[in-house]
Amino acid sequence: MLCWEGASDYDATPAGSYLSSQALHANTFMHSSRKSSVPLPWSSTTHATHNMEQISGPPAKTGTFYQTPRSHPWRPTMGYEAVEVTPLHEQPITNQLVASSYSPSGMCSDPVTFPNLVTGFERNPQHAARAALYTRYTPNEWTTSNVCTYADADKNRNYSEKVRSEAVRLMRETDEKTSQGQRDAARRLGERITDITFWRNELTTELEKLIAESAQLTDTKRNVQKALQDLDPPLHIAQECLYHRESRKGIELVHDHVEKSLLVEVDNLRASQEKLSQLLAKITKQLADCRAAQHSLEDDISHKESALGIDSICHQLNNYSRGINYYGGIEKYDPTVSTPGTWSGSSSTRINNSHSERSKSCQLRSDAESLINAVATSVWDCWSNTNNAFNNRASEMLEAKSKMQLHLHKTQQEIFDVEKHIELLRKAINDKSNPMKVAQTRLEARAHRPGIEMCRDNAHLRLVEEVCTIQDSVATLHRKLQEAEAQHQQLLRTKSQLESNLKQKVDALFIDREKCMGLRRSFPVNNTIKY
């Protein structure tokens, strides 16, 4: 579709110059009709679309085109001259929306541009005159449009007033709600500060009592430890004997008369020591429990001090405080781990736990004093029986040691004989190697006999029987060799066991006769237990 070129100039043309522009355009059109070789400003010398009507002659004939209705005011069929149609690819014409300086090279006419969509025509007097006949609306429609515009303006103003009044009301309500919420939050923070202060004071009081009780229990623990240390001198020798005898190995760890005598000897002191040890363990555990309760109280007090500081700062904050800031999404984050009930219940539980631990500590202190005063002072009841038991046990171990040495000598001799027997069995197995080779070689050679000579004769049967016999003999010798080797290993284990038992008896004899009896000869018989 071809359009008029000067549409953009029409919008800026003053109203007073409209007639002069129209006359100039008419003269140009008449001059172009006399010289068909001069192109018109809005047409091309080489192209014309098929839907355009070609017009020749004076400009007056163009008036007939006003009778033809068109869907667009910028497409009237007017002012065209007869042109020669040439192929499109030789002289291309493109719709340019830019200045004429960007026109493609080779174009013979000015570029064709789209019309002004506001006015519908280029700034051309002749076109402007014709455009007046293409009005779209009637005066009634214009009046109706104005009335609708006024109504819309009134409606929008009314709605705007309503929006403003609602906005003012909403601002007042939100301000009041925000202020009330802030005051309520400050009041709740004040109540929270009061609660935290109360529980902090309660916890501090209980902590002071618990620390004092822990100090008294620590003194009692030192008294029990001193009692245990006083039991050590008379028990040291007997305990050393038991400890030395615990170093015996294997079968020598027997619960013999010596051990029974030692246990009877130290029964009273060990029972007392066990009671004191149990009491000391209880005191230690109770101190640990008190320390745990103390740590729990200190931890709770520390947390409450921290929470009290934070809530105090929060209670003092206002809209003009420094440091306030936005924290987006903080209301959706819920880090709380307790409720007011569980919070106060936790502090109450810790206080009750501390009170319970203090009660247990008082009871332990009374039990410790009673037990220390009840411990016996005598340690000499079984001294002679224990020494006689040591002497008898030493004699028994000397006799067992001699018998063990005799059996060890016989076992070593038997091991020597078995080793010689094993060597003989191996030699017998090796001696069967060459006969086996001969028999198998004969069978392999006879397997190469040709044709009918491959006879299953007596020689073949005897060779097969010979191979089988040798194989059975070798298998029997191997089984016997395995049996001899197994017995040799068993003898070696027996020897090792005898040597181990002999060493154990020597060690046990050394422990009983040298270590234990040596200690018992230097027993501090003059030392007595004092409380």
Side-chain angles (χ1 to χ4, degrees):
M1 178 179 65
L2 296 180
C3 303
W4 312 115
E5 180 206 357
S8 61
D9 296 335
Y10 175 75
D11 297 335
T13 302
S17 61
Y18 176 76
L19 296 177
S20 60
S21 299
Q22 185 178 15
L24 179 60
H25 187 271
N27 293 334
T28 304
F29 185 82
M30 293 175 63
H31 179 70
S32 62
S33 64
R34 290 191 295 268
K35 290 185 178 181
S36 61
S37 61
V38 179
L40 295 176
W42 57 83
S43 63
S44 172
T45 59
T46 57
H47 299 281
T49 56
H50 295 288
N51 60 348
M52 295 182 181
E53 300 179 3
Q54 297 182 0
I55 301 173
S56 62
K61 294 182 179 181
T62 57
T64 58
F65 289 94
Y66 290 116
Q67 301 174 1
T68 303
R70 298 294 178 182
S71 59
H72 300 289
W74 58 80
R75 294 183 57 187
T77 54
M78 53 168 284
Y80 288 97
E81 62 178 351
V83 295
E84 181 182 358
V85 179
T86 58
L88 185 61
H89 65 274
E90 293 182 0
Q91 297 292 337
I93 296 178
T94 58
N95 292 334
Q96 297 291 333
L97 298 178
V98 297
S100 60
S101 58
Y102 295 97
S103 300
S105 61
M107 290 186 64
C108 298
S109 63
D110 293 335
V112 178
T113 60
F114 287 105
N116 191 310
L117 298 179
V118 178
T119 62
F121 288 97
E122 304 292 348
R123 205 179 317 166
N124 191 305
Q126 186 176 0
H127 297 167
R130 294 172 180 267
L133 301 178
Y134 284 85
T135 55
R136 299 182 180 180
Y137 305 104
T138 63
N140 292 332
E141 292 175 343
W142 178 80
T143 302
T144 303
S145 175
N146 291 337
V147 172
C148 292
T149 302
Y150 302 153
D152 290 339
D154 292 336
K155 181 181 179 181
N156 289 333
R157 284 196 305 273
N158 293 332
Y159 182 74
S160 177
E161 291 177 359
K162 180 180 179 181
V163 168
R164 286 190 294 106
S165 62
E166 289 291 332
V168 171
R169 182 187 59 81
L170 182 61
M171 286 187 293
R172 291 175 179 174
E173 290 180 357
T174 53
D175 288 344
E176 181 62 25
K177 186 183 297 184
T178 302
S179 300
Q180 180 63 29
Q182 196 173 62
R183 288 192 299 270
D184 186 64
R187 181 177 58 82
R188 296 296 177 86
L189 283 173
E191 295 174 356
R192 182 64 177 175
I193 290 172
T194 303
D195 294 341
I196 294 175
T197 303
F198 170 77
W199 283 110
R200 183 198 60 180
N201 296 335
E202 293 292 326
L203 290 169
T204 303
T205 302
E206 182 62 29
L207 178 61
E208 293 174 354
K209 295 180 181 179
L210 182 62
I211 291 175
E213 181 62 31
S214 297
Q216 295 179 0
L217 187 61
T218 302
D219 294 338
T220 303
K221 179 181 178 181
R222 282 196 294 266
N223 294 333
V224 174
Q225 290 175 342
K226 182 63 171 59
L228 284 174
Q229 291 176 0
D230 292 339
L231 289 177
D232 284 340
L235 287 176
H236 179 71
I237 299 301
Q239 290 176 346
E240 286 294 326
C241 291
L242 290 173
Y243 293 155
H244 286 313
R245 288 176 63 82
E246 286 296 325
S247 61
R248 294 174 296 172
K249 306 295 181 182
I251 193 62
E252 297 303 320
L253 283 170
V254 60
H255 187 63
D256 53 2
H257 185 65
V258 175
E259 187 171 352
K260 292 179 181 179
S261 298
L262 286 172
L263 293 176
V264 171
E265 180 184 356
V266 299
D267 181 67
N268 186 29
L269 291 176
R270 285 185 65 102
S272 300
Q273 188 182 31
E274 184 67 21
K275 292 178 181 179
L276 290 175
S277 299
Q278 291 178 357
L279 181 61
L280 182 62
K282 290 180 180 179
I283 293 175
T284 303
K285 182 178 181 300
Q286 184 60 38
L287 284 174
D289 293 341
C290 291
R291 186 68 186 91
Q294 179 182 347
H295 178 270
S296 177
L297 293 174
E298 291 174 348
D299 187 62
D300 199 0
I301 291 173
S302 175
H303 290 174
K304 281 180 170 50
E305 291 286 350
S306 178
L308 186 62
I310 293 173
D311 287 347
S312 297
I313 293 174
C314 293
H315 187 262
Q316 296 172 3
L317 288 177
N318 54 50
N319 295 335
Y320 306 100
S321 300
R322 298 178 59 186
I324 59 176
N325 202 348
Y326 284 109
Y327 297 93
I330 191 64
E331 70 281 356
K332 299 178 181 177
Y333 173 62
D334 186 10
T336 58
V337 296
S338 64
T339 62
T342 58
W343 173 79
S344 59
S346 175
S347 298
S348 177
T349 301
R350 295 185 183 189
I351 292 175
N352 294 334
N353 184 29
S354 176
H355 182 72
S356 175
E357 297 301 332
R358 288 194 295 110
S359 300
K360 293 179 182 178
S361 177
C362 291
Q363 184 65 35
L364 275 179
R365 288 193 292 110
S366 299
D367 294 343
E369 293 295 332
S370 299
L371 182 62
I372 290 175
N373 294 328
V375 174
T377 60
S378 178
V379 293
W380 309 109
D381 294 339
C382 299
W383 175 257
S384 299
N385 292 334
T386 303
N387 288 341
N388 293 334
F390 268 112
N391 292 328
N392 294 333
R393 184 62 178 170
S395 300
E396 292 176 359
M397 283 191 292
L398 283 174
E399 183 180 358
K401 175 186 173 184
S402 300
K403 293 181 180 180
M404 196 71 65
Q405 287 176 342
L406 179 61
H407 283 285
L408 179 62
H409 177 71
K410 292 180 180 180
T411 302
Q412 289 176 343
Q413 183 63 38
E414 183 64 23
I415 289 174
F416 178 73
D417 296 338
V418 171
E419 288 177 350
K420 291 193 298 182
H421 184 69
I422 289 173
E423 292 298 328
L424 292 176
L425 287 174
R426 289 176 179 171
K427 185 177 180 304
I429 291 173
N430 291 333
D431 292 341
K432 300 298 185 293
S433 176
N434 290 332
M436 177 65 74
K437 291 179 182 179
V438 171
Q440 289 182 351
T441 302
R442 288 174 177 174
L443 283 175
E444 196 277 335
R446 286 173 60 84
H448 295 283
R449 291 175 294 172
I452 196 64
E453 296 301 325
M454 291 292 293
C455 180
R456 190 179 183 86
D457 52 7
N458 292 330
H460 177 78
L461 296 176
R462 187 64 187 88
L463 286 174
V464 172
E465 182 182 358
E466 181 181 1
V467 170
C468 294
T469 302
I470 294 174
Q471 289 177 348
D472 293 340
S473 300
V474 171
T476 303
L477 290 174
H478 273 295
R479 287 194 297 271
K480 185 58 67 176
L481 177 61
Q482 292 177 357
E483 183 180 354
E485 289 176 346
Q487 185 61 32
H488 181 260
Q489 293 297 322
Q490 183 63 36
L491 289 173
L492 290 177
R493 284 192 293 270
T494 302
K495 176 187 174 184
S496 176
Q497 184 179 3
L498 290 173
E499 291 175 347
S500 176
N501 290 337
L502 183 60
K503 184 178 182 302
Q504 292 172 3
K505 284 179 171 52
V506 172
D507 293 341
L509 184 61
F510 175 77
I511 290 171
D512 288 346
R513 192 166 57 179
E514 300 298 332
K515 289 186 177 181
C516 294
M517 293 301 295
L519 289 174
R520 296 185 69 82
R521 280 192 294 267
S522 61
F523 190 82
V525 293
N526 294 327
N527 291 342
T528 58
I529 300 176
K530 296 181 181 180
Y531 297 95

